[in-house]
Amino acid sequence: MAGTRLLGACMVAGLVWIGVRALTPAAQRARQPVRISSRGAVACLLVRFGLTDLQPRAWDGRVRVEAGRLLALHNWRPRPEDQITGPDSWKMDTTRGENFRRRAWEEEPSAGPRPYLLVPGIVVDVEGTTGTRLHVETVNGNFVVEPFSLSLGEIRSYLGGAVEVQRVPYSELLSTKEYQDDYATLLVEPAGTVWVAWVAYANWKNEVRVRRFSGGQWSEPETISGDQRDIFLVKAGRDGQGGVWFVWSAQVGGNFDLYARRYFNGRWTDIQRLTTAPQPDVFPVLATDARGHLWLVWQGFRDGSSDIFARRFDGQSWSPEEKVSSSAANDWEPAVAADSKGRVYVGWDTYDKGNYDVLVRKWEAGSWSDLPPLADTPKFEARVSLACDRQDRLWAAWNESGTQWGKDTGFLLYRQGTRLYQSRWMAVAVWSGGSWQEPVAGIEQSLPSELQGYNDLPVLHADPLGNVWLIFRHRHPRIWDTPSAAPMHRAAWNLYVTRYEGDRWTRPVPVPFSQGRTDMRIGVGTLPSSELVLAWPTDNRDFEQFLFQHADVYFGRLPQVGPPSGEPRLRPRQPEEIATFPIHPNEAQDLARIRGYGIESAGKRYRIFRGDTHRHTEFSHDGNNDGSLIDAYRYALDAAQLDFLMVSDHNNLGGPDVDYVNWVLQQMADVFRVDGRFLPLFGYERSVPYPNGHRNVVFARRGNPTLPIPP
């Protein structure tokens, strides 16, 4: 019953209105204020219509609940023509999707465009018991669903397969409308208290905000970052004394360092500064070992390149900073996990061999040792996530892409490496019995065909029952048949949840209202009832224009599942043998010659600086195939080894004309400013229509707004 009270309290807190052309999920929820009783259970159903349609047709309808209560009705993937027309009714159609229009310079396909239909759907929140029945009436027929008989991931078909119904996480808004909210993290204490924190933005400054669920209700949002106003990313952790920690990266005095605050014995301590180096310290992660020590691991730049560092809190003080990685090249975005035997594992990806590889080190009995390389082929292998299961096996998941990522890539280059977002998939491995193994069912091969490829940021989580969960983001393009070599004219990345069940991955479950850009960070945990809970950001983009609407943070709870049916079936992992050809065999010598060249004039020495003032990212309406904002800086620092970079995303259509987007783009330039090595520039592309032309606008300092283009 305590879990139901948790859901009810979240729902009341999330009643806000956002005025946009197409109703966002948050706005639809705000139109239907409800209070959830603590006496019943809550189920959330996704109902999709028209899966067998060959031509567009209407799917208007209404829903009635027998032996229960309808809490809310939402539009699953909002488009302007689809509407929730009342507390229990809707107007929706299957509609014809747009096909890609090829330009003269693009390769002609072997077949003509394939027509397809866009499928609408509703998300239904219902309170009841096992006897509750949902009566769904549509213009094409009626059917009845027993919501509490559906297990997580189970899909049931109705009306000859034209309708599918499945149980999905119940999702609730935690943030408030006066802020733009991003970078969520989550922590569950052993007694069941839930903490959710995120970074909230307004008026050209941001802060860390926290809410906690305790005693049957959520606290009001609380700012814990003091007077700091330039914050990137926050993570949550807990020490063995019961102290709850939040660690974030903040720019103070011209440099990003790590800061922390602890909640202990019912009060907040003062903010602590945890790093002091003169170059950026970013991407913190936290884990608690078997002795109750809290481990902090992060990426820090020292002398122009980045390494992985660690400290641990023993209940009284923090240990000195120690370097975990050893490469002279850049090391990136660490992960940390601890098992029940006192071992701590730290993973990261490194550019040591001229491509991204994933490495793991183990801390045991006071010293570090190397595990065999986890992923060290010529492919792009990065952004690892780690989790230790109930049997103390170490699970790892990471992203992969093609070979020679970012090498000599560009418009109309016919001999090039892998473009920045040409492809993206996931891989999973397990450290067990002294060797790397892998599930007998490959994760990508196990996904339904519509979810294969373009899967990002996998996050692993192991629960006390023995389940290993994988949460990932999948790209849904606005134009389904856009070729990978063409700019992706907008897309939405949605969260999906799966778990490894014996010898298979369960069918991924979509997380409602999770659509957003590629790179949005989440939190995950397990309640004492063994239910999985998530916190995530969304930008509420609709599924017509796929443009930023408003950044919010949601909390979600999955239906309870039991332990897995058996031990996970694994097999030895065989590293791939991949042959590559040298695109630019003299790259190192050429770079050395350029950097070593100088001109002496009037007592001064002038050097050549290499850079790019026109790079698009996920924030441009035609830049999604350039990848994420952070990938742009990985490309500049590593693949291209530039001295400067300007991300010049289009100002309009969800770009930096949006105040928050402008903040994120300019802040990231400061995050990756490495004095003496790399200088990002502040700017954007002002996209004036023909014949006036597009212009890259460069600013000398941070904080300038864009100049919007009049109609």
Side-chain angles (χ1 to χ4, degrees):
M1 306 309 286
T4 305
R5 290 196 296 274
L6 172 64
L7 295 173
C10 281
M11 186 66 179
V12 174
L15 304 179
V16 302
W17 167 261
I18 301 169
V20 293
R21 183 182 62 136
L23 288 180
T24 66
Q28 293 166 17
R29 185 181 297 275
R31 288 163 60 97
Q32 302 164 66
V34 295
R35 292 184 180 274
I36 304 173
S37 166
S38 63
R39 293 189 297 273
V42 176
C44 183
L45 301 182
L46 169 60
V47 185
R48 296 188 296 158
F49 301 107
L51 282 86
T52 58
D53 287 0
L54 300 177
Q55 298 293 332
R57 65 169 171 167
W59 279 94
D60 304 347
R62 64 189 316 111
V63 63
R64 176 174 59 86
V65 178
E66 175 189 347
R69 184 160 67 103
L70 179 65
L71 299 176
L73 197 63
H74 321 279
N75 195 341
W76 170 51
R77 290 185 175 172
R79 297 195 300 270
E81 63 271 22
D82 296 337
Q83 297 181 9
I84 302 297
T85 56
D88 60 357
S89 61
W90 62 88
K91 291 180 66 69
M92 293 181 178
D93 301 335
T94 49
T95 58
R96 198 170 300 285
E98 183 179 348
N99 285 108
F100 182 75
R101 299 178 183 179
R102 294 176 184 266
R103 283 73 60 91
W105 58 83
E106 289 165 340
E107 184 178 350
E108 284 293 324
S110 57
R114 180 173 60 88
Y116 63 93
L117 294 179
L118 301 174
V119 174
I122 57 173
V123 177
V124 185
D125 297 333
V126 59
E127 181 188 48
T129 65
T130 54
T132 300
R133 293 160 66 88
L134 204 66
H135 296 262
V136 183
E137 304 170 3
T138 78
V139 294
N140 301 308
N142 306 331
F143 56 94
V144 178
V145 182
E146 296 178 351
F148 293 94
S149 68
L150 280 166
S151 59
L152 182 67
E154 179 185 359
I155 296 179
R156 293 184 187 174
S157 297
Y158 301 90
L159 304 184
V163 177
E164 286 187 349
V165 179
Q166 69 179 122
R167 187 114 174 243
V168 295
Y170 183 84
S171 307
E172 307 175 83
L173 185 65
L174 278 189
S175 54
T176 53
K177 65 179 180 180
E178 65 268 26
Y179 291 91
Q180 303 278 3
D181 302 286
D182 212 336
Y183 304 116
T185 187
L186 180 148
L187 174 75
V188 181
E189 295 193 71
T193 298
V194 178
W195 296 78
V196 177
W198 62 89
V199 180
Y201 166 84
N203 303 319
W204 210 249
K205 58 187 178 182
N206 63 6
E207 60 195 46
V208 177
R209 305 199 95 200
V210 173
R211 297 188 75 175
R212 69 183 184 276
F213 181 85
S214 180
Q217 62 182 356
W218 284 93
S219 65
E220 290 298 316
E222 182 178 7
T223 299
I224 64 168
S225 48
D227 59 359
Q228 295 178 354
R229 291 297 182 260
D230 193 1
I231 293 165
F232 169 64
L233 207 62
V234 60
K235 291 294 180 182
R238 185 178 185 274
D239 60 42
Q241 288 71 40
V244 175
W245 290 81
F246 295 94
V247 178
W248 61 87
S249 186
Q251 182 169 215
V252 178
N255 185 58
F256 276 91
D257 280 297
L258 297 184
Y259 296 83
R261 202 163 185 189
R262 185 190 190 207
Y263 186 83
F264 185 61
N265 285 338
R267 66 177 187 87
W268 291 101
T269 63
D270 293 336
I271 295 174
Q272 300 182 43
R273 182 177 179 177
L274 298 180
T275 62
T276 58
Q279 293 181 340
D281 290 286
V282 289
F283 296 110
V285 289
L286 296 165
T288 306
D289 67 20
R291 298 177 61 190
H293 295 171
L294 179 67
W295 286 75
L296 167 65
V297 183
W298 74 95
Q299 175 183 343
F301 285 85
R302 306 288 187 270
D303 299 321
S305 62
S306 65
D307 287 296
I308 306 304
F309 295 90
R311 300 184 72 179
R312 64 184 181 276
F313 179 75
D314 63 3
Q316 300 297 322
S317 62
W318 287 92
S319 66
E321 170 183 302
E322 60 180 318
K323 190 169 74 168
V324 180
S325 60
S326 58
S327 169
N330 286 323
D331 301 307
W332 289 84
E333 298 190 57
V336 61
D339 68 13
S340 67
K341 300 294 193 299
R343 295 179 286 249
V344 175
Y345 299 91
V346 174
W348 68 94
D349 61 88
T350 179
Y351 207 73
D352 186 58
K353 297 180 181 178
N355 61 277
Y356 291 115
D357 296 321
V358 180
L359 304 178
V360 179
R361 297 197 79 192
K362 178 179 66 174
W363 186 91
E364 186 175 18
S367 63
W368 291 97
S369 61
D370 295 327
L371 268 61
L374 172 56
D376 64 345
T377 75
K379 293 184 297 187
F380 171 102
E381 295 151 324
R383 294 197 173 92
V384 66
S385 173
L386 301 177
C388 291
D389 68 14
R390 191 172 58 176
Q391 304 301 323
D392 290 324
R393 292 173 292 235
L394 175 70
W395 290 68
W398 64 96
N399 264 139
E400 294 190 345
S401 189
T403 61
Q404 304 200 76
W405 179 85
K407 291 297 185 182
D408 288 11
T409 67
F411 187 59
L412 297 182
L413 285 178
Y414 293 104
R415 186 173 184 267
Q416 57 181 311
T418 299
R419 296 181 300 277
L420 268 60
Y421 207 62
Q422 179 176 334
S423 57
R424 199 60 54 94
W425 62 90
M426 304 177 293
V428 177
V430 184
W431 179 254
S432 179
S435 66
W436 285 113
Q437 302 186 49
E438 63 185 3
V440 295
I443 178 61
E444 286 285 340
Q445 297 80 3
S446 301
L447 298 175
S449 58
E450 66 270 19
L451 294 182
Q452 291 182 1
Y454 294 102
N455 294 313
D456 282 281
L457 292 171
V459 175
L460 286 166
H461 179 74
D463 71 23
L465 296 179
N467 293 296
V468 176
W469 299 83
L470 180 68
I471 304 99
F472 63 95
R473 300 183 68 79
H474 175 77
R475 186 187 75 177
H476 294 279
R478 176 173 173 263
I479 302 174
W480 285 10
D481 58 352
T482 302
S484 68
M488 175 64 64
H489 291 278
R490 305 172 220 169
W493 282 258
N494 282 81
L495 285 174
Y496 287 83
V497 181
T498 181
R499 61 190 174 97
Y500 196 55
E501 177 70 29
D503 60 355
R504 66 183 182 90
W505 292 96
T506 60
R507 185 180 181 89
V509 176
V511 177
F513 322 132
S514 61
Q515 67 267 26
R517 67 182 188 270
T518 321
D519 193 343
M520 302 189 84
R521 306 299 171 113
I522 71 168
V524 58
T526 306
L527 296 176
S529 59
S530 298
E531 292 162 287
L532 191 75
V533 287
L534 306 171
W536 68 88
T538 174
D539 62 21
N540 285 300
R541 61 187 63 189
D542 66 21
F543 284 78
E544 177 73 19
Q545 296 300 322
F546 288 76
L547 297 175
F548 177 99
Q549 299 278 359
H550 188 272
D552 291 312
V553 168
Y554 273 77
F555 171 83
R557 178 173 180 164
L558 278 68
Q560 191 174 40
V561 301
S565 58
E567 284 296 303
R569 288 188 56 195
L570 307 173
R571 63 188 176 196
R573 187 164 189 268
Q574 299 296 331
E576 295 179 87
E577 295 291 335
I578 299 176
T580 61
F581 61 92
I583 291 178
H584 195 157
N586 301 317
E587 181 178 19
Q589 297 93 317
D590 289 348
L591 286 172
R593 187 165 68 253
I594 290 171
R595 291 205 165 110
Y597 181 78
I599 296 176
E600 302 288 344
S601 177
K604 295 182 179 180
R605 181 174 177 82
Y606 295 87
R607 290 178 47 207
I608 297 172
F609 290 91
R610 299 168 58 254
D612 187 346
T613 58
H614 189 55
R615 169 61 58 183
H616 283 326
T617 75
E618 58 195 320
F619 288 100
S620 274
H621 60 82
D622 68 349
N624 295 132
N625 267 10
D626 280 325
S628 73
L629 180 59
I630 292 173
D631 274 357
Y633 287 102
R634 282 177 174 256
Y635 159 79
L637 282 161
D638 291 330
Q641 294 194 42
L642 302 180
D643 299 306
F644 65 90
L645 174 76
M646 186 174 81
V647 171
S648 54
D649 283 325
H650 292 280
N651 64 309
N652 56 357
L653 297 175
D657 278 354
V658 177
D659 183 58
Y660 176 59
V661 171
N662 198 26
W663 164 271
V664 171
L665 292 168
Q666 294 194 35
Q667 181 191 58
M668 203 64 73
D670 269 352
V671 167
F672 287 107
R673 188 186 73 247
V674 183
D675 292 338
R677 164 62 184 91
F678 179 69
L679 179 65
L681 304 177
F682 307 114
Y684 68 97
E685 180 180 358
R686 191 165 189 268
S687 309
V688 186
Y690 178 85
N692 300 287
H694 294 195
R695 293 170 172 84
N696 291 323
V697 181
V698 189
F699 295 117
R701 59 179 60 90
R702 181 175 163 190
N704 289 282
T706 63
L707 180 61
I709 301 164

